[in-house]
Amino acid sequence: MGIDLDLKDLARYPFLQESQTFARDRTGSIDTFLESQVGKIVLPHAAARVRAALFPDQVDQDESEPLSEVSIFSYAVARVLVSCTKDRMMADRLARYEAARAAAALQDEDPAIRAYVAQSLGIDLDARTIPVTTYVELVARLRDDRWRLVNRQVREGAVTVGTTEVGELLRERIRVVVGRDLPLNVPTSLCDALKPYIDELTAALREKTLEEFGEVDETSFPPCIAALINAVTAGTNLSHMGRFALTAFLHNIGLTTTQIAEVFQRAPDFDLSITMYQVEHISGRSGTEYTAPSCATMRTYGLCVHKNALCETMSHPLSYYRRKKWQQENKKKE
Ligand code: SF4
């Protein structure tokens, strides 16, 4: 289906092939572009875009970016900025923000454009069934139980979906497309040139994590994480998954690489260079997955141990931690 997209459409849906081509044809190499007059205008907009991804509630709709060339370019530069932070958490937040933004625009969109955007991403808005393989790929990161294949009606190799669910799947698809390839492999020289912006965004991410989880409180750690720390302290060799779960959890609640290394330092056979390498790898510097595993995954790997009453209502160690901290803080106030 051919359709004419104007500049505003390209700015609203900057992940489309047409928008990418538009940006590529006008910017050329990214370093040269960032040194150009337009590049200097775009850069603060791109940083603001990443900040908005971290603090979406603080975005004033009246001040949101105008739909123009700058907006198309700032999408591309924002991806460069988050890549230079080398933090998957930042990249993931940008992807979620862009997906939410585009999904909101699509709600009031001209039906033909809406259908075109969806189709460009491999989704047919009118379809009430999706081939199983496509469905499984689409819901891979959706945690809600209702998306699990066992809870769906599957007939002749296709999964039945509702009208509103197709919208949700489209949003998820946008998130995957925006997040795909992030972090990009940006040359160190370019990241160095962008350092003031990178430092500011890294600080903003820490602020966001602090806002979400508050100061680190080891007494609120879930039993599984406490057990992993005890094992490290006792000098027990953690399995790869155990090391990953512990590092990712600590990274997710806001510990820096150095602070995480300090936890591993409790091990009698501690080796700083190996630990720093592993921690940086898991924290996302090499583009690996960073989110701490869910309770279901912990169970699969035999890492769900010493479950307590609070565990019964939790599906993720991070939710446990958030709830337990909240309980502890409330107790102190009483
Ligand atoms: S239920 Fe979840 S939070 Fe509790 S110990 Fe098991 S994995 Fe950890």
Side-chain angles (χ1 to χ4, degrees), residues 23-24 26-40 42-43 46 72-81 83-84 184-191 193-194:
R24 210 175 308 120
R26 282 157 183 81
T27 55
S29 101
I30 185 81
D31 354 20
T32 320
F33 172 70
L34 288 174
E35 278 173 16
S36 70
Q37 281 300 98
V38 183
K40 287 185 180 128
V42 168
L43 194 47
I72 303 171
F73 300 148
S74 78
Y75 167 82
V77 178
R79 283 165 60 84
V80 171
L81 287 175
S83 299
C84 285
L184 307 166
N185 198 4
V186 183
T188 314
S189 55
L190 179 54
C191 290
L194 297 171

PDB file of all heavy atoms in Angstrom, residues 23-24 26-40 42-43 46 72-81 83-84 184-191 193-194:
ATOM      1  N   ALA A  23      16.345  11.212   7.059  1.00  0.00           N
ATOM      2  CA  ALA A  23      17.412  11.685   7.944  1.00  0.00           C
ATOM      3  C   ALA A  23      18.780  11.369   7.336  1.00  0.00           C
ATOM      4  O   ALA A  23      19.667  12.233   7.309  1.00  0.00           O
ATOM      5  CB  ALA A  23      17.284  11.021   9.319  1.00  0.00           C
ATOM      6  N   ARG A  24      18.925  10.170   6.817  1.00  0.00           N
ATOM      7  CA  ARG A  24      20.232   9.755   6.266  1.00  0.00           C
ATOM      8  C   ARG A  24      20.612  10.644   5.083  1.00  0.00           C
ATOM      9  O   ARG A  24      21.750  11.098   4.978  1.00  0.00           O
ATOM     10  CB  ARG A  24      20.153   8.292   5.832  1.00  0.00           C
ATOM     11  CG  ARG A  24      21.484   7.574   5.940  1.00  0.00           C
ATOM     12  CD  ARG A  24      21.357   6.099   5.623  1.00  0.00           C
ATOM     13  NE  ARG A  24      20.337   5.414   6.369  1.00  0.00           N
ATOM     14  CZ  ARG A  24      19.279   4.783   5.836  1.00  0.00           C
ATOM     15  NH1 ARG A  24      19.098   4.772   4.540  1.00  0.00           N
ATOM     16  NH2 ARG A  24      18.415   4.158   6.591  1.00  0.00           N
ATOM     17  N   ARG A  26      19.900  13.659   4.498  1.00  0.00           N
ATOM     18  CA  ARG A  26      20.195  15.063   4.828  1.00  0.00           C
ATOM     19  C   ARG A  26      21.333  15.248   5.820  1.00  0.00           C
ATOM     20  O   ARG A  26      21.865  16.337   5.943  1.00  0.00           O
ATOM     21  CB  ARG A  26      18.935  15.754   5.362  1.00  0.00           C
ATOM     22  CG  ARG A  26      17.998  16.114   4.220  1.00  0.00           C
ATOM     23  CD  ARG A  26      16.571  16.277   4.692  1.00  0.00           C
ATOM     24  NE  ARG A  26      15.705  16.544   3.550  1.00  0.00           N
ATOM     25  CZ  ARG A  26      15.230  15.600   2.734  1.00  0.00           C
ATOM     26  NH1 ARG A  26      15.580  14.343   2.906  1.00  0.00           N
ATOM     27  NH2 ARG A  26      14.434  15.926   1.716  1.00  0.00           N
ATOM     28  N   THR A  27      21.643  14.187   6.560  1.00  0.00           N
ATOM     29  CA  THR A  27      22.671  14.387   7.597  1.00  0.00           C
ATOM     30  C   THR A  27      24.052  13.897   7.182  1.00  0.00           C
ATOM     31  O   THR A  27      25.061  14.431   7.630  1.00  0.00           O
ATOM     32  CB  THR A  27      22.289  13.649   8.903  1.00  0.00           C
ATOM     33  OG1 THR A  27      22.065  12.282   8.608  1.00  0.00           O
ATOM     34  CG2 THR A  27      21.067  14.255   9.540  1.00  0.00           C
ATOM     35  N   GLY A  28      24.126  12.882   6.341  1.00  0.00           N
ATOM     36  CA  GLY A  28      25.429  12.311   5.969  1.00  0.00           C
ATOM     37  C   GLY A  28      26.068  11.698   7.207  1.00  0.00           C
ATOM     38  O   GLY A  28      25.382  11.127   8.040  1.00  0.00           O
ATOM     39  N   SER A  29      27.387  11.887   7.338  1.00  0.00           N
ATOM     40  CA  SER A  29      28.048  11.249   8.492  1.00  0.00           C
ATOM     41  C   SER A  29      27.666  11.984   9.775  1.00  0.00           C
ATOM     42  O   SER A  29      27.552  13.210   9.805  1.00  0.00           O
ATOM     43  CB  SER A  29      29.566  11.225   8.306  1.00  0.00           C
ATOM     44  OG  SER A  29      30.150  12.252   9.051  1.00  0.00           O
ATOM     45  N   ILE A  30      27.486  11.209  10.844  1.00  0.00           N
ATOM     46  CA  ILE A  30      26.960  11.780  12.084  1.00  0.00           C
ATOM     47  C   ILE A  30      27.924  12.799  12.708  1.00  0.00           C
ATOM     48  O   ILE A  30      27.497  13.848  13.188  1.00  0.00           O
ATOM     49  CB  ILE A  30      26.564  10.656  13.092  1.00  0.00           C
ATOM     50  CG1 ILE A  30      25.893  11.219  14.340  1.00  0.00           C
ATOM     51  CG2 ILE A  30      27.718   9.784  13.469  1.00  0.00           C
ATOM     52  CD1 ILE A  30      24.456  11.522  14.171  1.00  0.00           C
ATOM     53  N   ASP A  31      29.250  12.542  12.650  1.00  0.00           N
ATOM     54  CA  ASP A  31      30.185  13.511  13.273  1.00  0.00           C
ATOM     55  C   ASP A  31      30.136  14.848  12.540  1.00  0.00           C
ATOM     56  O   ASP A  31      30.119  15.910  13.147  1.00  0.00           O
ATOM     57  CB  ASP A  31      31.631  13.041  13.340  1.00  0.00           C
ATOM     58  CG  ASP A  31      31.878  11.630  12.897  1.00  0.00           C
ATOM     59  OD1 ASP A  31      31.042  11.086  12.177  1.00  0.00           O
ATOM     60  OD2 ASP A  31      32.920  11.112  13.298  1.00  0.00           O
ATOM     61  N   THR A  32      30.124  14.787  11.192  1.00  0.00           N
ATOM     62  CA  THR A  32      30.078  16.033  10.425  1.00  0.00           C
ATOM     63  C   THR A  32      28.759  16.754  10.703  1.00  0.00           C
ATOM     64  O   THR A  32      28.726  17.968  10.891  1.00  0.00           O
ATOM     65  CB  THR A  32      30.179  15.724   8.912  1.00  0.00           C
ATOM     66  OG1 THR A  32      31.139  14.695   8.744  1.00  0.00           O
ATOM     67  CG2 THR A  32      30.569  16.936   8.110  1.00  0.00           C
ATOM     68  N   PHE A  33      27.697  15.957  10.782  1.00  0.00           N
ATOM     69  CA  PHE A  33      26.380  16.563  11.013  1.00  0.00           C
ATOM     70  C   PHE A  33      26.358  17.295  12.356  1.00  0.00           C
ATOM     71  O   PHE A  33      25.871  18.426  12.459  1.00  0.00           O
ATOM     72  CB  PHE A  33      25.296  15.490  10.972  1.00  0.00           C
ATOM     73  CG  PHE A  33      23.945  16.000  11.390  1.00  0.00           C
ATOM     74  CD1 PHE A  33      23.248  16.887  10.584  1.00  0.00           C
ATOM     75  CD2 PHE A  33      23.384  15.629  12.609  1.00  0.00           C
ATOM     76  CE1 PHE A  33      22.003  17.390  10.979  1.00  0.00           C
ATOM     77  CE2 PHE A  33      22.147  16.125  13.013  1.00  0.00           C
ATOM     78  CZ  PHE A  33      21.451  17.014  12.199  1.00  0.00           C
ATOM     79  N   LEU A  34      26.889  16.646  13.386  1.00  0.00           N
ATOM     80  CA  LEU A  34      26.814  17.257  14.722  1.00  0.00           C
ATOM     81  C   LEU A  34      27.639  18.539  14.816  1.00  0.00           C
ATOM     82  O   LEU A  34      27.407  19.377  15.677  1.00  0.00           O
ATOM     83  CB  LEU A  34      27.250  16.251  15.788  1.00  0.00           C
ATOM     84  CG  LEU A  34      26.231  15.133  16.038  1.00  0.00           C
ATOM     85  CD1 LEU A  34      26.770  14.090  16.998  1.00  0.00           C
ATOM     86  CD2 LEU A  34      24.912  15.688  16.558  1.00  0.00           C
ATOM     87  N   GLU A  35      28.603  18.690  13.905  1.00  0.00           N
ATOM     88  CA  GLU A  35      29.391  19.924  13.919  1.00  0.00           C
ATOM     89  C   GLU A  35      28.747  21.013  13.071  1.00  0.00           C
ATOM     90  O   GLU A  35      29.155  22.167  13.111  1.00  0.00           O
ATOM     91  CB  GLU A  35      30.803  19.639  13.410  1.00  0.00           C
ATOM     92  CG  GLU A  35      31.659  19.076  14.531  1.00  0.00           C
ATOM     93  CD  GLU A  35      33.008  18.617  14.055  1.00  0.00           C
ATOM     94  OE1 GLU A  35      33.409  18.994  12.940  1.00  0.00           O
ATOM     95  OE2 GLU A  35      33.633  17.858  14.813  1.00  0.00           O
ATOM     96  N   SER A  36      27.752  20.635  12.278  1.00  0.00           N
ATOM     97  CA  SER A  36      27.083  21.626  11.416  1.00  0.00           C
ATOM     98  C   SER A  36      26.148  22.511  12.244  1.00  0.00           C
ATOM     99  O   SER A  36      25.841  22.190  13.401  1.00  0.00           O
ATOM    100  CB  SER A  36      26.269  20.900  10.329  1.00  0.00           C
ATOM    101  OG  SER A  36      25.157  20.265  10.945  1.00  0.00           O
ATOM    102  N   GLN A  37      25.702  23.585  11.612  1.00  0.00           N
ATOM    103  CA  GLN A  37      24.763  24.507  12.282  1.00  0.00           C
ATOM    104  C   GLN A  37      23.515  23.761  12.767  1.00  0.00           C
ATOM    105  O   GLN A  37      23.089  23.895  13.908  1.00  0.00           O
ATOM    106  CB  GLN A  37      24.329  25.612  11.306  1.00  0.00           C
ATOM    107  CG  GLN A  37      25.348  26.719  11.123  1.00  0.00           C
ATOM    108  CD  GLN A  37      25.627  27.417  12.453  1.00  0.00           C
ATOM    109  OE1 GLN A  37      26.631  27.090  13.095  1.00  0.00           O
ATOM    110  NE2 GLN A  37      24.777  28.338  12.887  1.00  0.00           N
ATOM    111  N   VAL A  38      22.946  22.959  11.847  1.00  0.00           N
ATOM    112  CA  VAL A  38      21.721  22.224  12.193  1.00  0.00           C
ATOM    113  C   VAL A  38      22.021  21.222  13.304  1.00  0.00           C
ATOM    114  O   VAL A  38      21.257  21.071  14.269  1.00  0.00           O
ATOM    115  CB  VAL A  38      21.146  21.486  10.952  1.00  0.00           C
ATOM    116  CG1 VAL A  38      19.842  20.788  11.293  1.00  0.00           C
ATOM    117  CG2 VAL A  38      20.946  22.444   9.809  1.00  0.00           C
ATOM    118  N   GLY A  39      23.167  20.555  13.177  1.00  0.00           N
ATOM    119  CA  GLY A  39      23.548  19.557  14.185  1.00  0.00           C
ATOM    120  C   GLY A  39      23.608  20.180  15.574  1.00  0.00           C
ATOM    121  O   GLY A  39      23.170  19.568  16.554  1.00  0.00           O
ATOM    122  N   LYS A  40      24.131  21.396  15.637  1.00  0.00           N
ATOM    123  CA  LYS A  40      24.241  22.066  16.950  1.00  0.00           C
ATOM    124  C   LYS A  40      22.864  22.423  17.516  1.00  0.00           C
ATOM    125  O   LYS A  40      22.684  22.495  18.730  1.00  0.00           O
ATOM    126  CB  LYS A  40      25.120  23.319  16.831  1.00  0.00           C
ATOM    127  CG  LYS A  40      26.587  22.931  16.682  1.00  0.00           C
ATOM    128  CD  LYS A  40      27.508  24.113  16.691  1.00  0.00           C
ATOM    129  CE  LYS A  40      28.951  23.615  16.545  1.00  0.00           C
ATOM    130  NZ  LYS A  40      29.674  24.270  15.478  1.00  0.00           N
ATOM    131  N   VAL A  42      20.193  20.527  16.816  1.00  0.00           N
ATOM    132  CA  VAL A  42      19.540  19.233  17.093  1.00  0.00           C
ATOM    133  C   VAL A  42      20.009  18.609  18.412  1.00  0.00           C
ATOM    134  O   VAL A  42      19.206  18.040  19.164  1.00  0.00           O
ATOM    135  CB  VAL A  42      19.789  18.262  15.913  1.00  0.00           C
ATOM    136  CG1 VAL A  42      19.393  16.841  16.272  1.00  0.00           C
ATOM    137  CG2 VAL A  42      19.028  18.724  14.669  1.00  0.00           C
ATOM    138  N   LEU A  43      21.307  18.741  18.699  1.00  0.00           N
ATOM    139  CA  LEU A  43      21.890  18.046  19.855  1.00  0.00           C
ATOM    140  C   LEU A  43      21.141  18.297  21.173  1.00  0.00           C
ATOM    141  O   LEU A  43      20.763  17.334  21.857  1.00  0.00           O
ATOM    142  CB  LEU A  43      23.377  18.418  19.955  1.00  0.00           C
ATOM    143  CG  LEU A  43      24.242  17.567  20.867  1.00  0.00           C
ATOM    144  CD1 LEU A  43      24.036  16.075  20.663  1.00  0.00           C
ATOM    145  CD2 LEU A  43      25.707  17.934  20.669  1.00  0.00           C
ATOM    146  N   ALA A  46      17.957  16.446  21.129  1.00  0.00           N
ATOM    147  CA  ALA A  46      18.129  14.990  21.307  1.00  0.00           C
ATOM    148  C   ALA A  46      18.321  14.663  22.783  1.00  0.00           C
ATOM    149  O   ALA A  46      17.738  13.703  23.297  1.00  0.00           O
ATOM    150  CB  ALA A  46      19.319  14.512  20.493  1.00  0.00           C
ATOM    151  N   ILE A  72      12.939  14.836  13.551  1.00  0.00           N
ATOM    152  CA  ILE A  72      13.373  13.587  12.887  1.00  0.00           C
ATOM    153  C   ILE A  72      14.851  13.324  13.200  1.00  0.00           C
ATOM    154  O   ILE A  72      15.242  12.220  13.545  1.00  0.00           O
ATOM    155  CB  ILE A  72      13.160  13.674  11.355  1.00  0.00           C
ATOM    156  CG1 ILE A  72      11.695  13.962  11.054  1.00  0.00           C
ATOM    157  CG2 ILE A  72      13.616  12.385  10.665  1.00  0.00           C
ATOM    158  CD1 ILE A  72      11.412  14.273   9.591  1.00  0.00           C
ATOM    159  N   PHE A  73      15.660  14.397  13.126  1.00  0.00           N
ATOM    160  CA  PHE A  73      17.090  14.237  13.393  1.00  0.00           C
ATOM    161  C   PHE A  73      17.342  13.932  14.870  1.00  0.00           C
ATOM    162  O   PHE A  73      18.225  13.171  15.220  1.00  0.00           O
ATOM    163  CB  PHE A  73      17.868  15.505  13.018  1.00  0.00           C
ATOM    164  CG  PHE A  73      17.758  15.887  11.564  1.00  0.00           C
ATOM    165  CD1 PHE A  73      17.799  17.216  11.160  1.00  0.00           C
ATOM    166  CD2 PHE A  73      17.614  14.901  10.582  1.00  0.00           C
ATOM    167  CE1 PHE A  73      17.698  17.564   9.822  1.00  0.00           C
ATOM    168  CE2 PHE A  73      17.504  15.240   9.246  1.00  0.00           C
ATOM    169  CZ  PHE A  73      17.539  16.577   8.864  1.00  0.00           C
ATOM    170  N   SER A  74      16.561  14.576  15.743  1.00  0.00           N
ATOM    171  CA  SER A  74      16.828  14.401  17.177  1.00  0.00           C
ATOM    172  C   SER A  74      16.558  12.960  17.617  1.00  0.00           C
ATOM    173  O   SER A  74      17.171  12.460  18.542  1.00  0.00           O
ATOM    174  CB  SER A  74      16.042  15.400  18.030  1.00  0.00           C
ATOM    175  OG  SER A  74      14.714  14.991  18.155  1.00  0.00           O
ATOM    176  N   TYR A  75      15.650  12.294  16.911  1.00  0.00           N
ATOM    177  CA  TYR A  75      15.401  10.875  17.209  1.00  0.00           C
ATOM    178  C   TYR A  75      16.692  10.077  16.973  1.00  0.00           C
ATOM    179  O   TYR A  75      17.110   9.272  17.815  1.00  0.00           O
ATOM    180  CB  TYR A  75      14.277  10.360  16.306  1.00  0.00           C
ATOM    181  CG  TYR A  75      14.128   8.856  16.295  1.00  0.00           C
ATOM    182  CD1 TYR A  75      13.433   8.199  17.304  1.00  0.00           C
ATOM    183  CD2 TYR A  75      14.698   8.089  15.273  1.00  0.00           C
ATOM    184  CE1 TYR A  75      13.302   6.816  17.306  1.00  0.00           C
ATOM    185  CE2 TYR A  75      14.574   6.707  15.258  1.00  0.00           C
ATOM    186  CZ  TYR A  75      13.873   6.080  16.278  1.00  0.00           C
ATOM    187  OH  TYR A  75      13.756   4.715  16.268  1.00  0.00           O
ATOM    188  N   ALA A  76      17.328  10.333  15.818  1.00  0.00           N
ATOM    189  CA  ALA A  76      18.553   9.589  15.476  1.00  0.00           C
ATOM    190  C   ALA A  76      19.683   9.936  16.448  1.00  0.00           C
ATOM    191  O   ALA A  76      20.411   9.052  16.908  1.00  0.00           O
ATOM    192  CB  ALA A  76      18.957   9.922  14.045  1.00  0.00           C
ATOM    193  N   VAL A  77      19.801  11.226  16.792  1.00  0.00           N
ATOM    194  CA  VAL A  77      20.904  11.639  17.681  1.00  0.00           C
ATOM    195  C   VAL A  77      20.652  11.122  19.101  1.00  0.00           C
ATOM    196  O   VAL A  77      21.592  10.759  19.813  1.00  0.00           O
ATOM    197  CB  VAL A  77      21.097  13.173  17.630  1.00  0.00           C
ATOM    198  CG1 VAL A  77      22.198  13.609  18.586  1.00  0.00           C
ATOM    199  CG2 VAL A  77      21.443  13.622  16.216  1.00  0.00           C
ATOM    200  N   ALA A  78      19.386  11.050  19.497  1.00  0.00           N
ATOM    201  CA  ALA A  78      19.070  10.512  20.839  1.00  0.00           C
ATOM    202  C   ALA A  78      19.556   9.069  20.938  1.00  0.00           C
ATOM    203  O   ALA A  78      20.063   8.642  21.970  1.00  0.00           O
ATOM    204  CB  ALA A  78      17.562  10.591  21.088  1.00  0.00           C
ATOM    205  N   ARG A  79      19.427   8.325  19.843  1.00  0.00           N
ATOM    206  CA  ARG A  79      19.906   6.930  19.847  1.00  0.00           C
ATOM    207  C   ARG A  79      21.431   6.883  19.987  1.00  0.00           C
ATOM    208  O   ARG A  79      21.975   6.004  20.650  1.00  0.00           O
ATOM    209  CB  ARG A  79      19.461   6.238  18.544  1.00  0.00           C
ATOM    210  CG  ARG A  79      17.995   5.858  18.567  1.00  0.00           C
ATOM    211  CD  ARG A  79      17.481   5.517  17.181  1.00  0.00           C
ATOM    212  NE  ARG A  79      18.184   4.403  16.559  1.00  0.00           N
ATOM    213  CZ  ARG A  79      17.901   3.130  16.777  1.00  0.00           C
ATOM    214  NH1 ARG A  79      16.937   2.813  17.608  1.00  0.00           N
ATOM    215  NH2 ARG A  79      18.579   2.179  16.169  1.00  0.00           N
ATOM    216  N   VAL A  80      22.090   7.869  19.396  1.00  0.00           N
ATOM    217  CA  VAL A  80      23.551   7.930  19.543  1.00  0.00           C
ATOM    218  C   VAL A  80      23.906   8.251  21.000  1.00  0.00           C
ATOM    219  O   VAL A  80      24.785   7.625  21.599  1.00  0.00           O
ATOM    220  CB  VAL A  80      24.148   9.004  18.589  1.00  0.00           C
ATOM    221  CG1 VAL A  80      25.624   9.243  18.888  1.00  0.00           C
ATOM    222  CG2 VAL A  80      23.954   8.582  17.138  1.00  0.00           C
ATOM    223  N   LEU A  81      23.195   9.215  21.572  1.00  0.00           N
ATOM    224  CA  LEU A  81      23.494   9.609  22.960  1.00  0.00           C
ATOM    225  C   LEU A  81      23.317   8.434  23.929  1.00  0.00           C
ATOM    226  O   LEU A  81      24.191   8.175  24.752  1.00  0.00           O
ATOM    227  CB  LEU A  81      22.587  10.776  23.391  1.00  0.00           C
ATOM    228  CG  LEU A  81      22.916  12.144  22.766  1.00  0.00           C
ATOM    229  CD1 LEU A  81      21.858  13.167  23.179  1.00  0.00           C
ATOM    230  CD2 LEU A  81      24.292  12.628  23.171  1.00  0.00           C
ATOM    231  N   SER A  83      23.446   5.379  23.289  1.00  0.00           N
ATOM    232  CA  SER A  83      24.457   4.357  22.993  1.00  0.00           C
ATOM    233  C   SER A  83      25.775   4.721  23.664  1.00  0.00           C
ATOM    234  O   SER A  83      26.489   3.846  24.146  1.00  0.00           O
ATOM    235  CB  SER A  83      24.653   4.225  21.482  1.00  0.00           C
ATOM    236  OG  SER A  83      23.441   3.832  20.889  1.00  0.00           O
ATOM    237  N   CYS A  84      26.095   6.012  23.687  1.00  0.00           N
ATOM    238  CA  CYS A  84      27.351   6.432  24.325  1.00  0.00           C
ATOM    239  C   CYS A  84      27.304   6.222  25.845  1.00  0.00           C
ATOM    240  O   CYS A  84      28.346   6.065  26.466  1.00  0.00           O
ATOM    241  CB  CYS A  84      27.644   7.894  24.019  1.00  0.00           C
ATOM    242  SG  CYS A  84      28.228   8.160  22.338  1.00  0.00           S
ATOM    243  N   LEU A 184      24.059   1.342  19.903  1.00  0.00           N
ATOM    244  CA  LEU A 184      24.761   1.305  18.619  1.00  0.00           C
ATOM    245  C   LEU A 184      26.258   1.309  18.885  1.00  0.00           C
ATOM    246  O   LEU A 184      26.697   1.723  19.967  1.00  0.00           O
ATOM    247  CB  LEU A 184      24.410   2.560  17.800  1.00  0.00           C
ATOM    248  CG  LEU A 184      22.929   2.864  17.584  1.00  0.00           C
ATOM    249  CD1 LEU A 184      22.765   4.282  17.062  1.00  0.00           C
ATOM    250  CD2 LEU A 184      22.344   1.862  16.602  1.00  0.00           C
ATOM    251  N   ASN A 185      27.001   0.894  17.900  1.00  0.00           N
ATOM    252  CA  ASN A 185      28.451   0.889  18.063  1.00  0.00           C
ATOM    253  C   ASN A 185      28.988   2.264  17.656  1.00  0.00           C
ATOM    254  O   ASN A 185      29.355   2.488  16.517  1.00  0.00           O
ATOM    255  CB  ASN A 185      29.017  -0.220  17.175  1.00  0.00           C
ATOM    256  CG  ASN A 185      30.399  -0.583  17.596  1.00  0.00           C
ATOM    257  OD1 ASN A 185      30.901  -0.063  18.595  1.00  0.00           O
ATOM    258  ND2 ASN A 185      31.023  -1.466  16.853  1.00  0.00           N
ATOM    259  N   VAL A 186      28.999   3.202  18.586  1.00  0.00           N
ATOM    260  CA  VAL A 186      29.410   4.578  18.267  1.00  0.00           C
ATOM    261  C   VAL A 186      30.910   4.714  18.538  1.00  0.00           C
ATOM    262  O   VAL A 186      31.389   4.289  19.591  1.00  0.00           O
ATOM    263  CB  VAL A 186      28.626   5.598  19.139  1.00  0.00           C
ATOM    264  CG1 VAL A 186      28.982   7.026  18.764  1.00  0.00           C
ATOM    265  CG2 VAL A 186      27.136   5.359  19.016  1.00  0.00           C
ATOM    266  N   PRO A 187      31.659   5.329  17.590  1.00  0.00           N
ATOM    267  CA  PRO A 187      33.101   5.478  17.814  1.00  0.00           C
ATOM    268  C   PRO A 187      33.398   6.251  19.115  1.00  0.00           C
ATOM    269  O   PRO A 187      32.686   7.206  19.446  1.00  0.00           O
ATOM    270  CB  PRO A 187      33.578   6.294  16.600  1.00  0.00           C
ATOM    271  CG  PRO A 187      32.503   6.146  15.595  1.00  0.00           C
ATOM    272  CD  PRO A 187      31.227   5.880  16.310  1.00  0.00           C
ATOM    273  N   THR A 188      34.432   5.809  19.818  1.00  0.00           N
ATOM    274  CA  THR A 188      34.782   6.436  21.097  1.00  0.00           C
ATOM    275  C   THR A 188      35.031   7.932  20.933  1.00  0.00           C
ATOM    276  O   THR A 188      34.644   8.737  21.791  1.00  0.00           O
ATOM    277  CB  THR A 188      36.065   5.767  21.656  1.00  0.00           C
ATOM    278  OG1 THR A 188      35.888   4.372  21.524  1.00  0.00           O
ATOM    279  CG2 THR A 188      36.316   6.119  23.089  1.00  0.00           C
ATOM    280  N   SER A 189      35.666   8.319  19.805  1.00  0.00           N
ATOM    281  CA  SER A 189      35.976   9.737  19.602  1.00  0.00           C
ATOM    282  C   SER A 189      34.687  10.572  19.597  1.00  0.00           C
ATOM    283  O   SER A 189      34.633  11.673  20.151  1.00  0.00           O
ATOM    284  CB  SER A 189      36.744   9.939  18.297  1.00  0.00           C
ATOM    285  OG  SER A 189      35.999   9.363  17.248  1.00  0.00           O
ATOM    286  N   LEU A 190      33.624  10.015  18.994  1.00  0.00           N
ATOM    287  CA  LEU A 190      32.363  10.762  18.940  1.00  0.00           C
ATOM    288  C   LEU A 190      31.741  10.838  20.341  1.00  0.00           C
ATOM    289  O   LEU A 190      31.269  11.904  20.763  1.00  0.00           O
ATOM    290  CB  LEU A 190      31.398  10.095  17.948  1.00  0.00           C
ATOM    291  CG  LEU A 190      30.028  10.747  17.801  1.00  0.00           C
ATOM    292  CD1 LEU A 190      30.158  12.232  17.453  1.00  0.00           C
ATOM    293  CD2 LEU A 190      29.199  10.046  16.738  1.00  0.00           C
ATOM    294  N   CYS A 191      31.775   9.717  21.067  1.00  0.00           N
ATOM    295  CA  CYS A 191      31.223   9.725  22.429  1.00  0.00           C
ATOM    296  C   CYS A 191      32.010  10.721  23.291  1.00  0.00           C
ATOM    297  O   CYS A 191      31.428  11.426  24.115  1.00  0.00           O
ATOM    298  CB  CYS A 191      31.284   8.334  23.049  1.00  0.00           C
ATOM    299  SG  CYS A 191      30.140   7.176  22.280  1.00  0.00           S
ATOM    300  N   ALA A 193      33.420  13.432  22.307  1.00  0.00           N
ATOM    301  CA  ALA A 193      33.002  14.794  21.928  1.00  0.00           C
ATOM    302  C   ALA A 193      31.643  15.132  22.559  1.00  0.00           C
ATOM    303  O   ALA A 193      31.333  16.298  22.819  1.00  0.00           O
ATOM    304  CB  ALA A 193      32.932  14.906  20.415  1.00  0.00           C
ATOM    305  N   LEU A 194      30.846  14.095  22.830  1.00  0.00           N
ATOM    306  CA  LEU A 194      29.495  14.325  23.382  1.00  0.00           C
ATOM    307  C   LEU A 194      29.480  14.215  24.915  1.00  0.00           C
ATOM    308  O   LEU A 194      28.410  14.214  25.534  1.00  0.00           O
ATOM    309  CB  LEU A 194      28.515  13.299  22.793  1.00  0.00           C
ATOM    310  CG  LEU A 194      28.307  13.369  21.285  1.00  0.00           C
ATOM    311  CD1 LEU A 194      27.489  12.176  20.805  1.00  0.00           C
ATOM    312  CD2 LEU A 194      27.605  14.668  20.898  1.00  0.00           C
TER     313      LEU A 194
END
